[in-house]
Amino acid sequence: MNITYETAVIPKPEEVIELCVQAGLKRPTDPERIALMLKNADLLVTAWQADKLVGICRTITNWVWCAYLADLAVFTGFKSAGIGKEMIAITRQKLGDQCMLLLLSVPTAFNYYPKVGFNKEDRAFSIERTQ
């Protein structure tokens, strides 16, 4: 399996929508909203098999204190190949040692994140979106 990782390539919104739907990650399915999510990301790591998007890791950060890993999605058939772990590693390398990486997990991924170095926290709060 030949996977390449990119940090300077912004995929098409339709590619991201297909990936998220296939991976079971609930995200908007309108291309305009996805395009804005991609445009406003501070760090985007993508995984490709030839010209096929097979993974995405989207982060919002201030680069010196904290970073929010907003999306991590990998095509189902590629989930055991270490793609998510590698995208997280690239993200951490790009952020540097002084920046904390945090996220809100979907319930189906609770067991995954401790395996790739995240600590489970019980001190988060959120206000849900209305749309």
XYZ file of all heavy atoms in Angstrom, residues 35-111:
590
model
N -15.789 23.558 2.069
C -14.740 24.411 1.494
C -14.270 25.447 2.518
O -13.064 25.702 2.638
C -15.237 25.098 0.227
N -15.186 26.038 3.257
C -14.814 27.008 4.284
C -14.064 26.334 5.440
O -13.117 26.914 5.988
C -16.050 27.740 4.806
C -16.642 28.768 3.858
C -17.987 29.282 4.376
C -15.665 29.917 3.643
N -14.474 25.136 5.807
C -13.767 24.403 6.857
C -12.318 24.133 6.440
O -11.391 24.272 7.245
C -14.493 23.082 7.166
C -15.824 23.284 7.877
S -16.874 21.801 7.935
C -15.868 20.653 8.849
N -12.120 23.771 5.193
C -10.770 23.510 4.688
C -9.965 24.806 4.592
O -8.797 24.859 4.990
C -10.835 22.822 3.331
C -11.462 21.427 3.322
C -11.685 20.959 1.887
C -10.614 20.438 4.101
N -10.585 25.849 4.064
C -9.903 27.137 3.881
C -9.448 27.721 5.214
O -8.371 28.317 5.309
C -10.845 28.113 3.176
C -10.271 29.498 3.015
C -11.292 30.444 2.419
C -10.733 31.845 2.409
N -11.762 32.858 2.437
N -10.250 27.556 6.253
C -9.956 28.158 7.543
C -9.130 27.272 8.467
O -8.829 27.678 9.597
C -11.255 28.581 8.228
C -11.912 29.731 7.490
O -11.244 30.665 7.076
N -13.211 29.643 7.298
N -8.743 26.099 8.012
C -7.865 25.246 8.808
C -6.470 25.872 8.850
O -6.011 26.460 7.870
C -7.796 23.849 8.200
N -5.807 25.739 9.977
C -4.437 26.226 10.097
C -3.434 25.181 9.642
O -2.338 25.517 9.204
C -4.138 26.613 11.547
C -5.013 27.759 12.004
O -4.991 28.818 11.349
O -5.729 27.591 13.011
N -3.788 23.921 9.761
C -2.922 22.823 9.353
C -3.787 21.696 8.818
O -4.724 21.256 9.481
C -2.086 22.334 10.543
C -1.162 21.147 10.314
C -0.162 21.412 9.188
C -0.436 20.797 11.607
N -3.471 21.267 7.626
C -4.218 20.202 6.979
C -3.218 19.136 6.532
O -2.285 19.428 5.783
C -4.962 20.779 5.773
C -6.061 19.965 5.142
C -7.191 19.688 6.123
C -6.608 20.691 3.923
N -3.398 17.925 7.025
C -2.582 16.793 6.597
C -3.515 15.841 5.864
O -4.564 15.462 6.388
C -1.914 16.069 7.789
C -1.081 14.889 7.301
C -1.072 17.034 8.604
N -3.138 15.486 4.644
C -3.960 14.564 3.867
C -3.149 13.333 3.506
O -1.923 13.388 3.385
C -4.494 15.230 2.586
O -3.400 15.795 1.860
C -5.523 16.305 2.906
N -3.853 12.219 3.336
C -3.231 10.962 2.939
C -3.838 10.546 1.603
O -5.063 10.598 1.423
C -3.481 9.878 3.993
N -2.980 10.120 0.690
C -3.400 9.811 -0.678
C -2.867 8.450 -1.100
O -1.722 8.112 -0.809
C -2.877 10.858 -1.650
C -3.329 12.243 -1.325
C -2.759 13.103 -0.425
C -4.463 12.927 -1.860
N -3.462 14.283 -0.384
C -4.511 14.206 -1.259
C -5.424 12.582 -2.807
C -5.500 15.131 -1.566
C -6.408 13.515 -3.114
C -6.445 14.770 -2.497
N -3.682 7.704 -1.797
C -3.230 6.522 -2.532
C -3.414 6.887 -3.994
O -4.546 6.987 -4.476
C -4.019 5.274 -2.169
C -3.452 4.048 -2.868
C -4.215 2.791 -2.534
O -5.428 2.769 -2.619
N -3.496 1.745 -2.161
N -2.291 7.131 -4.656
C -2.301 7.707 -6.009
C -3.058 9.036 -5.933
O -2.687 9.894 -5.149
C -2.885 6.740 -7.023
N -4.151 9.197 -6.677
C -4.898 10.460 -6.642
C -6.177 10.358 -5.816
O -7.046 11.207 -5.900
C -5.201 10.937 -8.061
C -6.078 9.957 -8.836
O -6.281 8.822 -8.362
O -6.553 10.329 -9.916
N -6.282 9.321 -4.980
C -7.471 9.092 -4.154
C -7.209 9.550 -2.719
O -6.273 9.088 -2.065
C -7.816 7.601 -4.167
C -8.950 7.207 -3.275
C -10.252 7.374 -3.973
C -11.380 6.774 -3.148
N -12.630 7.399 -3.465
N -8.037 10.474 -2.223
C -7.951 10.915 -0.834
C -8.420 9.774 0.067
O -9.559 9.323 -0.031
C -8.832 12.149 -0.615
C -8.874 12.707 0.810
C -7.526 13.318 1.184
C -9.988 13.740 0.940
N -7.531 9.298 0.949
C -7.895 8.192 1.847
C -7.840 8.603 3.315
O -8.230 7.827 4.187
C -7.030 6.938 1.597
C -7.278 6.387 0.192
C -5.550 7.211 1.829
N -7.355 9.830 3.602
C -7.325 10.286 4.981
C -7.168 11.784 5.069
O -6.605 12.422 4.173
N -7.697 12.351 6.153
C -7.567 13.792 6.382
C -7.456 14.058 7.875
O -8.091 13.382 8.691
C -8.746 14.584 5.770
C -8.456 16.075 5.776
C -10.052 14.254 6.465
C -9.382 16.888 4.886
N -6.623 15.022 8.211
C -6.447 15.472 9.586
C -6.454 17.000 9.531
O -5.538 17.604 8.972
C -5.122 14.935 10.136
S -4.809 15.335 11.854
N -7.492 17.613 10.079
C -7.674 19.070 9.999
C -7.530 19.671 11.389
O -8.191 19.237 12.328
C -9.051 19.401 9.424
C -9.312 20.878 9.220
C -10.665 21.103 8.551
N -11.768 20.670 9.390
C -12.405 21.436 10.276
N -12.040 22.700 10.440
N -13.405 20.957 10.990
N -6.634 20.672 11.508
C -6.327 21.257 12.808
C -6.458 22.774 12.778
O -6.107 23.419 11.799
C -4.884 20.875 13.218
O -4.768 19.449 13.197
C -4.542 21.380 14.602
N -6.944 23.317 13.891
C -7.046 24.757 14.111
C -6.126 25.069 15.289
O -6.202 24.413 16.326
C -8.499 25.158 14.431
C -9.409 24.757 13.268
C -8.600 26.646 14.734
C -10.871 24.711 13.624
N -5.234 26.064 15.133
C -4.234 26.295 16.167
C -3.755 27.739 16.221
O -3.883 28.481 15.249
C -3.014 25.364 15.947
O -2.104 25.538 17.033
C -2.316 25.639 14.637
N -3.141 28.089 17.354
C -2.419 29.364 17.478
C -0.908 29.127 17.394
O -0.138 30.057 17.527
C -2.795 30.097 18.774
C -2.467 29.296 20.015
O -1.638 28.392 20.023
N -3.144 29.622 21.097
N -0.490 27.885 17.221
C 0.888 27.454 16.993
C 1.800 27.522 18.212
O 2.923 27.044 18.144
C 1.544 28.215 15.835
C 0.834 28.002 14.540
C -0.050 28.857 13.946
C 0.918 26.860 13.692
N -0.522 28.313 12.773
C 0.068 27.082 12.590
C 1.631 25.665 13.737
C -0.098 26.168 11.566
C 1.478 24.756 12.716
C 0.616 25.009 11.637
N 1.385 28.116 19.327
C 2.293 28.256 20.461
C 1.737 27.735 21.782
O 2.468 27.641 22.762
C 2.733 29.727 20.655
C 3.554 30.203 19.478
C 1.542 30.634 20.887
N 0.458 27.417 21.832
C -0.105 26.965 23.087
C -1.005 25.751 22.910
O -0.833 24.738 23.580
C -0.888 28.104 23.762
C -1.427 27.728 25.105
C -2.741 27.499 25.433
C -0.686 27.502 26.308
N -2.862 27.151 26.756
C -1.597 27.154 27.313
C 0.661 27.556 26.622
C -1.216 26.871 28.618
C 1.044 27.274 27.918
C 0.118 26.935 28.897
N -1.953 25.843 22.001
C -2.864 24.718 21.826
C -3.316 24.592 20.371
O -3.280 25.545 19.608
C -4.072 24.823 22.743
S -5.123 26.240 22.415
N -3.714 23.380 20.045
C -4.226 23.071 18.713
C -5.410 22.136 18.883
O -5.377 21.205 19.693
C -3.146 22.413 17.870
N -6.442 22.392 18.125
C -7.645 21.560 18.158
C -7.680 20.697 16.911
O -7.746 21.208 15.791
C -8.901 22.435 18.240
C -10.169 21.642 18.132
C -10.497 20.690 19.092
C -11.041 21.823 17.066
C -11.659 19.941 18.988
C -12.200 21.087 16.962
C -12.504 20.148 17.921
O -13.647 19.404 17.815
N -7.575 19.402 17.096
C -7.677 18.467 15.984
C -9.177 18.312 15.695
O -9.892 17.617 16.401
C -7.041 17.123 16.362
C -6.705 16.192 15.213
C -5.696 15.153 15.649
C -7.904 15.568 14.597
N -9.630 19.015 14.679
C -11.060 19.113 14.392
C -11.596 17.911 13.625
O -12.760 17.542 13.787
C -11.343 20.396 13.614
N -10.778 17.320 12.773
C -11.208 16.161 11.983
C -10.063 15.179 11.842
O -8.937 15.584 11.556
C -11.627 16.571 10.560
C -12.866 17.436 10.522
O -13.839 17.084 11.201
O -12.846 18.449 9.818
N -10.376 13.912 12.013
C -9.461 12.837 11.667
C -10.329 11.756 11.048
O -11.178 11.179 11.721
C -8.723 12.292 12.895
C -7.741 11.171 12.608
C -6.569 11.665 11.764
C -7.238 10.544 13.903
N -10.135 11.527 9.761
C -10.948 10.530 9.062
C -10.065 9.725 8.122
O -9.181 10.275 7.461
C -12.062 11.207 8.262
N -10.315 8.426 8.095
C -9.600 7.510 7.213
C -10.630 6.575 6.591
O -11.531 6.091 7.276
C -8.539 6.690 7.991
C -7.868 5.670 7.101
C -7.496 7.615 8.617
N -10.491 6.334 5.292
C -11.376 5.390 4.616
C -11.376 4.065 5.365
O -10.316 3.595 5.807
C -10.922 5.155 3.164
C -11.761 5.854 2.148
C -11.405 7.102 1.690
C -12.911 5.262 1.643
C -12.170 7.767 0.741
C -13.688 5.913 0.700
C -13.317 7.163 0.247
N -12.532 3.465 5.508
C -12.693 2.245 6.296
C -11.704 1.153 5.904
O -11.076 0.550 6.769
C -14.149 1.720 6.182
O -15.025 2.739 6.657
C -14.342 0.469 7.004
N -11.500 0.909 4.642
C -10.595 -0.149 4.197
C -9.128 0.112 4.501
O -8.297 -0.778 4.363
N -8.804 1.328 4.968
C -7.425 1.713 5.253
C -7.182 1.939 6.748
O -6.099 2.321 7.143
C -7.075 3.005 4.495
C -7.038 2.848 3.011
C -8.200 2.885 2.258
C -5.829 2.660 2.355
C -8.176 2.751 0.885
C -5.788 2.530 0.976
C -6.964 2.561 0.241
N -8.183 1.687 7.585
C -8.099 2.058 8.999
C -7.043 1.302 9.790
O -6.587 1.785 10.802
C -9.466 1.932 9.667
C -10.378 3.072 9.264
C -11.597 3.155 10.119
C -12.412 4.373 9.712
N -13.601 4.536 10.484
N -6.636 0.149 9.377
C -5.628 -0.608 10.129
C -4.222 -0.399 9.582
O -3.294 -1.082 9.996
C -5.975 -2.095 10.109
O -7.214 -2.305 10.742
N -4.053 0.533 8.666
C -2.767 0.721 7.999
C -1.880 1.766 8.674
O -0.805 2.064 8.173
C -3.003 1.106 6.536
N -2.311 2.354 9.791
C -1.501 3.346 10.483
C -1.587 4.744 9.900
O -0.797 5.617 10.261
N -2.543 4.988 9.026
C -2.667 6.284 8.364
C -3.048 7.379 9.363
O -2.451 8.460 9.377
C -3.668 6.213 7.195
C -3.095 5.302 6.100
C -3.997 7.601 6.657
C -4.073 4.954 5.000
N -4.028 7.112 10.211
C -4.423 8.093 11.222
C -3.266 8.419 12.149
O -2.991 9.591 12.449
N -2.572 7.396 12.604
C -1.421 7.579 13.490
C -0.340 8.431 12.818
O 0.242 9.319 13.438
C -0.861 6.220 13.892
C 0.229 6.284 14.908
C 0.653 4.887 15.341
C 1.703 4.941 16.424
N 2.079 3.612 16.907
N -0.088 8.179 11.540
C 0.932 8.948 10.813
C 0.493 10.396 10.615
O 1.313 11.322 10.755
C 1.243 8.294 9.469
C 2.320 9.001 8.676
C 3.688 9.029 9.347
O 3.956 8.213 10.247
O 4.515 9.888 8.952
N -0.777 10.635 10.311
C -1.248 12.012 10.149
C -1.150 12.778 11.467
O -0.792 13.953 11.481
C -2.676 12.041 9.589
C -2.762 11.603 8.138
S -4.386 11.888 7.376
C -5.455 10.868 8.396
N -1.437 12.109 12.586
C -1.286 12.741 13.902
C 0.181 13.053 14.161
O 0.525 14.129 14.653
C -1.881 11.848 15.012
C -3.403 11.782 14.871
C -1.490 12.377 16.393
C -4.055 10.719 15.732
N 1.076 12.126 13.825
C 2.516 12.346 14.023
C 3.007 13.542 13.203
O 3.783 14.370 13.701
C 3.296 11.082 13.659
N 2.567 13.640 11.963
C 2.947 14.780 11.117
C 2.400 16.073 11.714
O 3.098 17.092 11.778
C 2.454 14.577 9.668
C 3.198 13.401 9.015
C 2.618 15.861 8.850
C 2.583 12.918 7.723
N 1.164 16.034 12.178
C 0.553 17.205 12.807
C 1.371 17.644 14.013
O 1.706 18.824 14.155
C -0.903 16.893 13.211
O -1.654 16.608 12.028
C -1.545 18.051 13.954
N 1.719 16.706 14.885
C 2.499 17.035 16.085
C 3.867 17.601 15.716
O 4.346 18.543 16.335
C 2.634 15.814 16.980
C 1.276 15.410 17.573
C 1.392 14.325 18.589
N 2.081 14.862 19.755
C 2.762 14.118 20.614
N 2.861 12.828 20.441
N 3.363 14.671 21.647
N 4.488 17.037 14.700
C 5.804 17.521 14.270
C 5.690 18.957 13.761
O 6.514 19.806 14.079
C 6.360 16.574 13.203
C 7.758 16.909 12.725
C 7.768 17.817 11.500
O 6.917 17.723 10.626
N 8.722 18.711 11.449
N 4.659 19.246 12.995
C 4.465 20.595 12.445
C 4.131 21.604 13.555
O 4.518 22.764 13.472
C 3.349 20.604 11.401
C 3.663 19.813 10.155
C 4.620 20.547 9.288
C 4.844 19.817 7.986
N 5.901 20.415 7.197
N 3.403 21.159 14.580
C 3.012 22.054 15.671
C 4.184 22.389 16.593
O 4.247 23.480 17.144
C 1.888 21.428 16.504
C 0.535 21.308 15.823
C -0.406 20.465 16.670
C -0.059 22.683 15.546
N 5.084 21.449 16.797
C 6.206 21.655 17.703
C 5.876 21.240 19.128
O 4.728 20.972 19.481
N 6.903 21.220 19.952
C 6.790 20.701 21.313
C 6.039 21.596 22.278
O 5.602 21.138 23.330
C 8.194 20.438 21.883
C 8.894 19.309 21.163
O 8.206 18.450 20.560
O 10.137 19.283 21.190
N 5.894 22.881 21.977
C 5.248 23.782 22.932
C 3.729 23.847 22.761
O 3.049 24.525 23.522
C 5.853 25.173 22.838
C 5.662 25.844 21.502
C 6.369 27.181 21.419
O 6.921 27.653 22.414
N 6.352 27.797 20.277
N 3.197 23.115 21.804
C 1.777 23.198 21.489
C 1.044 21.913 21.894
O 1.430 20.818 21.491
C 1.616 23.456 19.986
S 0.011 24.077 19.521
N 0.004 22.052 22.699
C -0.826 20.932 23.109
C -1.805 20.590 21.992
O -2.345 21.477 21.333
C -1.627 21.307 24.360
C -2.641 20.263 24.766
S -3.948 20.796 25.924
C -3.337 22.215 26.719
N -2.046 19.303 21.768
C -3.030 18.858 20.781
C -4.212 18.260 21.526
O -4.042 17.365 22.358
C -2.401 17.827 19.837
C -3.250 17.342 18.673
C -3.684 18.494 17.767
C -2.486 16.298 17.862
N -5.393 18.767 21.246
C -6.593 18.267 21.915
C -7.695 18.039 20.895
O -7.623 18.515 19.767
C -7.037 19.246 23.008
C -7.249 20.696 22.598
C -8.715 20.974 22.398
C -6.658 21.598 23.654
N -8.701 17.278 21.307
C -9.810 16.976 20.405
C -11.038 16.561 21.184
O -10.955 16.246 22.368
C -9.424 15.873 19.417
C -9.037 14.504 19.989
C -10.248 13.614 20.215
C -8.070 13.814 19.062
N -12.170 16.579 20.509
C -13.402 15.972 21.003
C -13.642 14.736 20.149
O -13.689 14.831 18.933
C -14.591 16.935 20.864
C -14.541 18.186 21.719
C -15.709 19.111 21.371
C -14.574 17.834 23.198
N -13.766 13.597 20.793
C -13.896 12.336 20.064
C -15.351 11.953 19.842
O -16.201 12.186 20.707
C -13.205 11.223 20.858
O -13.380 9.978 20.223
N -15.602 11.323 18.703
C -16.888 10.661 18.517
C -16.848 9.401 19.377
O -15.774 8.827 19.616
C -17.168 10.324 17.035
C -17.316 11.594 16.215
C -16.107 9.427 16.462
N -17.989 8.946 19.880
C -17.988 7.773 20.766
C -17.306 6.534 20.172
O -16.645 5.794 20.892
C -19.475 7.517 21.015
C -20.108 8.862 20.854
C -19.321 9.543 19.773
N -17.415 6.341 18.876
C -16.827 5.146 18.271
C -15.305 5.168 18.242
O -14.676 4.151 17.981
C -17.354 4.949 16.833
O -17.091 6.142 16.082
C -18.844 4.651 16.836
N -14.687 6.318 18.523
C -13.224 6.417 18.488
C -12.598 6.534 19.879
O -11.388 6.704 19.997
C -12.805 7.609 17.630
N -13.397 6.414 20.942
C -12.871 6.559 22.301
C -11.696 5.631 22.580
O -10.762 6.005 23.269
C -13.962 6.292 23.337
C -14.845 7.478 23.628
C -14.770 8.660 22.906
C -15.774 7.399 24.640
C -15.588 9.732 23.174
C -16.605 8.477 24.925
C -16.506 9.637 24.197
N -11.739 4.430 22.084
C -10.670 3.463 22.349
C -9.455 3.678 21.458
O -8.373 3.185 21.763
C -11.191 2.034 22.187
C -12.223 1.696 23.246
O -12.143 2.170 24.365
N -13.196 0.884 22.879
